[in-house]
Amino acid sequence: MNTYIEKLTNLLLEKNEMLSYIQAKTWVELLWGDFEATYAKAGHTYKGEEMTERIVKEWIDHYGSQLHMFQSAREDVNDYLNQSRGLLH
């Protein structure tokens, strides 16, 4: 899985120059986990990391350039993702 995470992190960094490496990696890990959890809750059989990679890649392609603007309902997530030392602008 680490290979997938690294590849997707680099893709996100290409799409969004406002994120630091650690923020991009965190986003990829959050998106990865969210997809797997949602897929399982829906009662689907897990089809492997390749499918999860494809879905997360699609999300990055569509929304990656805007992820730095995301505001979570969870303050701890906001604090972590929006640390001023991590922003590149």
Side-chain angles (χ1 to χ4, degrees):
M1 182 169 91
N2 289 335
T3 303
Y4 295 114
I5 298 295
E6 188 66 26
K7 189 164 99 174
L8 291 166
T9 298
N10 290 327
L11 176 64
L12 180 53
L13 287 170
E14 289 174 19
K15 297 277 184 187
N16 191 327
E17 297 175 354
M18 301 295 287
L19 297 174
S20 68
Y21 174 83
I22 193 70
Q23 288 171 317
K25 186 174 181 183
T26 300
W27 270 115
V28 168
E29 291 169 346
L30 288 170
L31 293 170
W32 188 282
D34 185 56
F35 174 75
E36 287 185 338
T38 302
Y39 202 73
K41 285 180 186 177
H44 299 292
T45 304
Y46 183 63
K47 300 200 178 180
E49 293 176 335
E50 292 83 14
M51 184 175 130
T52 304
E53 178 194 26
R54 183 177 55 82
I55 298 300
V56 173
K57 183 182 180 308
E58 286 179 21
W59 290 345
I60 290 171
D61 287 339
H62 288 99
Y63 309 110
S65 64
Q66 301 169 358
L67 283 178
H68 65 281
M69 295 186 285
F70 175 78
Q71 291 294 314
S72 173
R74 290 183 46 190
E75 287 300 317
D76 59 330
V77 173
N78 282 335
D79 291 343
Y80 185 73
L81 290 172
N82 296 321
Q83 297 174 38
S84 61
R85 66 181 166 82
L87 294 175
L88 300 179
H89 64 106

